[in-house]
Amino acid sequence: MITGAGKGIGKAIALDFAKMSGKQAEFDPVLILVSRTLADLESVAAECRSFGAATDLFQADIADKAQTDRLVNSTLERYGTIDCLVNNAGVGRFKPLAELTEEDFDSTMSVNLKGTFFLTQRVFAIMEEKRSGHIFFITSIASETAFKSSSLYCMSKFGQKGLVEAMRLYAKTCNVRITNVMPGAVYTPMWGEVPDAMKSLMMMPEDVSLPLVNAYFMPQRTSVEELVLRPVGGDLKE
Ligand SMILES: NC(=O)c1ccc[n+]([C@@H]2O[C@H](COP(=O)([O-])OP(=O)(O)OC[C@H]3O[C@@H](n4cnc5c(N)ncnc54)[C@H](OP(=O)(O)O)[C@@H]3O)[C@@H](O)[C@H]2O)c1
């Protein structure tokens, strides 16, 4: 199950898993793609299926707990379990401190914190019971480094990192792997229009998806706990 699979990093993760379908031993998954925009999901699902991967899609707003509950319940009814969750859906409002509004606050926290928490809570319970599973969190370099125009975003990403660390305490007792993926700047729709000079300083979505998929295929005895990925020239300023 990949949240935010309609665009950007989530789309690249879906495509890279799809490419491995049937090629890696005992890997013949159903990919569950989740986001709010149906047209994006249909387009990514078609691409995944073109690589031979069984793919289903689910239009849901993860900020709404009733919708994440429906997402998990429907997945269990259709497929019986969830083996891997990629908590990728996230939003950012990048503005100077004084310009941030209550709506910016609520929107950022409801997706990045509330949505990530309640989906993880439901899916982890399934993995805990069967004593296997892998949960990825796409947090950010901004989960440990502050950027001036990202105060709310940093607050939410530092918070996600807190959840990752708490989840590890539960996961290690029941054979569940937790991977915190911390990318620096990646060229995706999240950034809107980007000048070419800036784009040349950024990573591309597949630079994140490839190491993530490789971490999934590590032997079950090994948990890749963190992936820190930066543009070779370092972080973009502020
Ligand atoms: N791009 C970067 O530089 C960068 C760096 C570090 C970390 N990250 C993190 O990586 C993740 C993906 O970022 P991205 O750059 O790929 O963003 P993106 O291009 O804006 O794509 C975000 C995806 O998440 C979905 N989404 C957003 N809110 C959602 C919600 N409430 N419920 C369900 N789906 C939702 C979006 O679809 P809909 O809007 O249609 O729902 C979209 O498919 C985020 O958590 C972000 O914080 C990004």
Side-chain angles (χ1 to χ4, degrees):
M1 177 179 285
I2 304 159
T3 66
K7 297 187 185 81
I9 295 169
K11 175 180 175 181
I13 292 167
L15 293 176
D16 274 352
F17 272 123
K19 288 174 196 164
M20 297 304 284
S21 179
K23 298 199 178 57
Q24 187 81 17
E26 295 176 33
F27 186 66
D28 195 12
V30 180
L31 302 177
I32 313 283
L33 312 184
V34 183
S35 84
R36 294 169 299 187
T37 309
L38 191 57
D40 286 349
L41 293 175
E42 284 170 342
S43 148
V44 178
E47 262 194 88
C48 289
R49 290 179 193 125
S50 76
F51 292 113
T55 307
D56 202 350
L57 49 88
F58 207 102
Q59 188 178 21
D61 180 348
I62 65 154
D64 180 342
K65 187 176 180 307
Q67 292 188 40
T68 55
D69 282 340
R70 271 201 298 279
L71 162 66
V72 174
N73 294 341
S74 301
T75 304
L76 290 179
E77 276 162 30
R78 285 183 210 171
Y79 304 110
T81 194
I82 299 170
D83 297 316
C84 178
L85 169 65
V86 182
N87 279 311
N88 166 77
V91 294
R93 301 283 175 92
F94 304 105
K95 298 178 193 176
L97 184 72
E99 291 174 22
L100 288 161
T101 64
E102 185 177 7
E103 197 274 324
D104 291 326
F105 184 99
D106 290 343
S107 133
T108 306
M109 302 309 160
S110 67
V111 180
N112 297 2
L113 290 180
K114 181 182 165 191
T116 303
F117 176 81
F118 282 111
L119 182 57
T120 302
Q121 185 191 47
R122 279 292 314 268
V123 174
F124 179 73
I126 297 161
M127 296 177 173
E128 185 178 32
E129 196 179 337
K130 66 176 178 161
R131 297 189 63 79
S132 76
H134 197 150
I135 303 179
F136 291 91
F137 293 83
I138 314 301
T139 63
S140 174
I141 288 292
S143 71
E144 8 177 90
T145 303
F147 298 90
K148 229 174 163 181
S149 59
S150 308
S151 47
L152 283 181
Y153 184 71
C154 286
M155 191 175 165
S156 71
K157 292 291 173 179
F158 273 61
Q160 282 188 341
K161 187 150 190 269
L163 174 60
V164 170
E165 296 307 322
M167 288 309 303
R168 285 196 203 291
L169 303 177
Y170 288 89
K172 69 183 181 187
T173 65
C174 59
N175 197 40
V176 171
R177 301 189 293 179
I178 302 277
T179 302
N180 182 13
V181 183
M182 295 188 281
V186 184
Y187 178 64
T188 69
M190 178 179 261
W191 289 80
E193 287 289 308
V194 170
D196 283 348
M198 184 169 157
K199 191 176 159 186
S200 71
L201 301 174
M202 301 168 87
M203 298 181 288
M204 299 304 280
E206 56 271 26
D207 305 345
V208 178
S209 57
L210 189 61
L212 181 152
V213 168
N214 286 338
Y216 182 76
F217 287 116
M218 287 296 285
Q220 284 296 319
R221 61 180 174 265
T222 301
S223 177
V224 178
E225 295 195 337
E226 284 187 353
L227 287 169
V228 181
L229 304 159
R230 275 201 168 83
V232 67
D235 292 330
L236 302 186
K237 298 280 177 286
E238 303 196 340

